[in-house]
């Protein structure tokens, strides 16, 4: 039934914009739910103040809180995605793909031609997303994450 409703009434694409300091409480909450070790407000404040960090958020309306975000450290011609997160009940709706695509397009305008990221080997949803966006595995860090999971190093040239 949900698939039929989604076809009849497709969800609106998210609104995408630069993250600001006013987004920090939502970014902190989203990150805490998405990762075992969530970043605190001080970490987000530090990152958003860093001239080399680029951050974008997805919202479901002009005055709505973020439902997802992405942060990268960028030093042309390369960048590294530091984190991507979407609220649990909004996943698998294209928000992550829209965020990464929007983010990479903005980085390209700044002269970025290569993007790197790291993802847990067992995170099938994230790996599928990144593969669809053109990322390829270029390395592996064995036992990198708590519990012994490997980290995959991915690269995309554009």
């Amino acid at each position: 039934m949900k698939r039929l409703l989604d076809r009849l009434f497709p969800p609106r694409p998210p609104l995408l914009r630069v993250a600001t300091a006013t987004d920090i409480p939502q970014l902190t909450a989203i990150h805490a739910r998405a990762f075992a070790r969530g970043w605190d407000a001080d970490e987000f404040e530090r990152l958003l103040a860093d001239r080399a960090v680029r951050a974008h958020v997805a919202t479901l309306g002009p005055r709505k809180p973020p439902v997802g975000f992405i942060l990268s450290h960028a030093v042309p011609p390369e960048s590294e995605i530091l984190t991507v997160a979407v609220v649990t009940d909004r996943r698998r709706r294209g928000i992550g793909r829209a965020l990464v695509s929007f983010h990479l397009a903005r980085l390209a305008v700044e002269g970025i031609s290569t993007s790197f990221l790291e993802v847990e080997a067992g995170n099938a949803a994230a790996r599928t997303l990144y593969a669809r966006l053109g990322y390829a595995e270029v390395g592996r860090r064995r036992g990198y994450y708590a519990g012994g999971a490997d980290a995959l190093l991915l690269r995309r040239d554009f």
Side-chain angles (χ1 to χ4, degrees):
M1 181 69 163
K2 182 182 177 330
R3 289 189 190 269
L4 176 61
L5 289 175
D6 283 346
R7 283 200 334 240
L8 293 173
F9 305 101
R12 280 196 222 160
L15 298 178
L16 304 162
R17 63 171 172 78
V18 172
T20 67
T22 60
D23 297 317
I24 290 174
Q26 290 84 16
L27 303 184
T28 303
I30 293 167
H31 200 270
R33 284 185 298 246
F35 297 99
R37 191 198 77 72
W39 297 345
D40 63 20
D42 290 339
E43 181 69 10
F44 278 104
E45 187 174 323
R46 185 188 67 75
L47 286 164
L48 292 181
D50 186 329
R51 292 182 343 167
V53 171
R54 304 297 180 267
H56 295 100
V57 297
T59 69
L60 300 179
R63 286 180 281 285
K64 301 279 187 176
V67 293
F69 68 91
I70 182 171
L71 280 82
S72 283
H73 184 265
V75 179
E78 297 178 346
S79 69
E80 178 185 6
I81 293 177
L82 303 174
T83 190
V84 180
V86 174
V87 297
T88 307
D89 66 344
R90 298 292 177 178
R91 292 181 184 164
R92 297 202 164 288
R93 297 184 184 187
I95 293 171
R97 183 182 184 103
L99 263 171
V100 176
S101 296
F102 177 84
H103 188 72
L104 294 179
R106 297 309 173 274
L107 291 175
V109 169
E110 294 183 37
I112 301 296
S113 58
T114 303
S115 173
F116 294 93
L117 64 87
E118 173 186 291
V119 64
E120 186 175 333
N123 189 339
R127 289 180 61 192
T128 299
L129 169 66
Y130 298 135
R132 287 181 179 157
L133 291 169
Y135 283 88
E137 185 177 336
V138 294
R140 179 182 289 256
R141 293 183 177 140
R142 300 221 179 265
Y144 182 78
Y145 291 106
D150 291 353
L152 302 180
L153 305 175
L154 306 181
R155 175 183 176 144
R156 178 182 179 214
D157 294 312
F158 49 97

